[in-house]
């Protein structure tokens, strides 16, 4: 497994593979890898002849009051996991490599970024689309793999690729969960024992709401119920509990196929997000 730290070296490394018609797959990550990331790697390994994983904690997608400094970092452990999972190249650039002095471009996707996490984390998705554009330019993948836990991010990246005419296939991979239903996330490492016990209420509550959606049930009332249930379970604050269209992420008035429940809630200092497709809940 090769470890590459510069854009020039990265482009040079994929060039021969691309010339030989080898399919290049990219799994963009911020490290602190868990089984959710490894599911993306496994799928990329199945689909592609050359698998690149990027490790870069991207400063521009964190707001000033967020956890950039404390975000878990353990490159040695990440590299070991990636080597064991058959990755060909790890791209781990420095911040100076990604954002040299004078860097002055922001890639913005409008519309899809306005609600949910976009409303609570101003500028977050600009940071994501800007860094993902750069990773695409450096790694030149045919396909790129994103987890559905960050479902809004997945839709935003799909939109960016479509609107910028990038010939990159974006592949979404279902959420990987702990046995008790908690979605895997690098931020789960922040939870203490007490908070960890409360955390699965996130998916339990989403599923309970999804299970109640039929006929002319009032969606707004169901979301209020979900929000109250999370607070009763021990969550400290709920950023949003919403039901939206899975494709457009638009708010919806009434029950119909193709809906998704989205939630973001705080356990003390830790913000957890999750989502579930209503049609997948029995
Ligand atoms: O999902 C993440 O880990 C990040 O948002 C990404 C896509 C690697 C961009 O920094």
């Amino acid at each position: 497994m090769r470890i590459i730290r510069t854009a020039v070296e990265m482009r040079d490394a994929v060039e021969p593979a691309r010339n030989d018609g080898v399919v290049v797959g990219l799994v963009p990550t911020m490290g602190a890898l868990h089984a959710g990331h490894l599911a993306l790697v496994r799928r990329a390994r199945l689909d592609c002849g050359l698998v690149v994983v990027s490790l870069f904690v991207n400063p521009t997608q964190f707001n000033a009051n967020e956890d950039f400094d404390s975000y878990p970092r353990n490159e040695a452990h990440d590299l070991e996991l990636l080597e064991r999972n058959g990755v060909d190249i790890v791209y781990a650039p420095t911040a100076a490599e990604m954002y040299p002095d004078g860097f002055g471009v922001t890639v913005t996707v409008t519309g899809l970024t306005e609600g949910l996490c976009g409303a609570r984390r101003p500028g977050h998705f600009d940071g994501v689309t800007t860094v993902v554009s750069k990773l695409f330019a450096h790694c030149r993948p045919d396909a790129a793999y994103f987890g559905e836990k960050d479902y809004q991010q997945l839709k935003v990246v799909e939109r960016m690729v479509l609107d910028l005419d990038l010939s990159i296939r974006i592949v979404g991979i279902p959420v990987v969960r702990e046995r008790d239903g908690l979605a895997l996330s690098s931020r789960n490492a922040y939870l203490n024992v007490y908070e960890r016990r409360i955390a699965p209420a996130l998916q339990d509550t989403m599923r309970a709401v999804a299970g109640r959606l039929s006929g002319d049930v009032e969606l707004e009332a169901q979301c209020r119920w979900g929000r109250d249930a999370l607070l009763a379970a021990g969550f400290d604050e709920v950023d949003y509990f919403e039901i939206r269209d899975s494709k457009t992420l638009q708010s919806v008035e009434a029950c119909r196929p193709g809906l998704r429940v989205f939630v973001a809630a705080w356990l003390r200092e830790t913000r957890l997000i999750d989502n579930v497709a209503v049609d997948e809940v029995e």
Side-chain angles (χ1 to χ4, degrees), residues 265-282:
W266 292 84
L267 277 167
R268 264 185 356 134
E269 308 286 293
T270 308
R271 183 176 186 272
L272 299 177
I273 64 170
D274 203 348
N275 68 90
V276 71
V278 172
D279 303 334
E280 281 166 23
V281 175
E282 302 281 293

Side-chain angles (χ1 to χ4, degrees), residues 28-30 37 56 58 61 124 128 131-132 135 146 150 153:
T29 82
M30 298 206 298
H37 296 110
F56 179 64
N58 173 35
Q61 68 187 76
H124 166 69
V128 170
V131 80
V132 168
L135 292 170
F146 293 84
D150 297 300
Q153 168 174 279

